[in-house]
Amino acid sequence: MNNFEIILLAFALVFNSWIAYINAGIVLSGEALVRKVNYAGMMFLIQCIMLGAGIWIGYKTGSLEIRINMVISLSIMFIFGLKVLLTGIRAPEEDKAFDYTDSKVTFFASLAEGITPLAIGISIGLLSLNPYLHWIITGLLMLSGIVAALILSKRMGRDSFKLRLAPVGGLLLLAAAIKLAINLTGF
């Protein structure tokens, strides 16, 4: 797996969680900077740990036969790509946001948003020769996505809900799956 594919998957993970980041930015718009940093740090830390755990699991449990790892990774990316795409298309616009001022709500929201990074991390770990480098690249892009969503939600307010990027994240995951299928079949 090369760095372009890692960046593609990292953007897919950011777009998958984009609406949760926007939600929190709107709810925290009246809060102090410390509270926003606390939210961003907790969201980043939990999602990055879940991603790192997935990469580690995939790296340690991968088969010596690369084609087996490719098939497993392809199925993970395809299933989660369809899940993210269909959920993003079906989901109505958020009317009521969670209260992200409570640390427990932020923690559990981060865990819920961390399931997809865990699965994609397993997929990355199965195909990665440099798991730590890929973890750092993906983590930095996830952090920049959180910060960008917090800034954008402050500037745009409720209009930022119209930036529903979860279907784009699903399409990016499906694009990575299709590229992996092409590599697997040898076209």
Side-chain angles (χ1 to χ4, degrees):
M1 187 167 274
N2 61 27
N3 289 338
F4 174 74
E5 293 167 338
I6 295 298
I7 291 171
L8 185 74
L9 291 173
F11 276 119
L13 292 174
V14 168
F15 293 154
N16 174 49
S17 300
W18 185 261
I19 196 69
Y21 302 154
I22 292 290
N23 243 343
I26 290 173
V27 170
L28 296 173
S29 63
E31 297 289 325
L33 180 64
V34 173
R35 185 71 196 138
K36 291 179 185 178
V37 169
N38 183 28
Y39 163 78
M42 187 180 295
M43 184 68 87
F44 169 71
L45 186 65
I46 291 172
Q47 284 191 349
C48 197
I49 287 172
M50 298 275 285
L51 176 71
I55 290 174
W56 183 79
I57 290 167
Y59 187 70
K60 292 295 183 181
T61 61
S63 173
L64 294 176
E65 177 58 41
I66 190 68
R67 292 204 177 271
I68 293 172
N69 293 342
M70 289 173 82
V71 168
I72 294 169
S73 183
L74 172 69
S75 61
I76 290 171
M77 280 192 270
F78 186 71
I79 289 169
F80 274 87
L82 283 176
K83 179 235 176 244
V84 169
L85 178 67
L86 295 176
T87 303
I89 290 172
R90 262 185 13 174
E93 187 176 306
E94 295 282 336
D95 291 331
K96 188 171 93 173
F98 290 113
D99 181 20
Y100 287 102
T101 58
D102 184 14
S103 294
K104 289 184 270 186
V105 173
T106 304
F107 176 76
F108 286 115
S110 301
L111 281 178
E113 291 295 324
I115 292 172
T116 303
L118 176 71
I120 299 304
I122 291 171
S123 180
I124 292 170
L126 287 170
L127 301 175
S128 180
L129 297 176
N130 302 318
Y132 298 115
L133 175 66
H134 293 159
W135 184 30
I136 291 170
I137 291 171
T138 310
L140 288 175
L141 283 172
M142 286 172 55
L143 179 63
S144 66
I146 293 170
V147 171
L150 289 174
I151 292 170
L152 187 66
S153 65
K154 179 179 175 157
R155 294 192 193 276
M156 291 182 64
R158 303 283 300 162
D159 290 336
S160 57
F161 275 130
K162 295 177 182 164
L163 294 173
R164 294 183 38 185
L165 297 175
V168 175
L171 289 174
L172 288 175
L173 286 174
L174 289 174
I178 290 170
K179 184 181 181 317
L180 189 59
I182 290 171
N183 289 346
L184 186 63
T185 58
F187 272 113

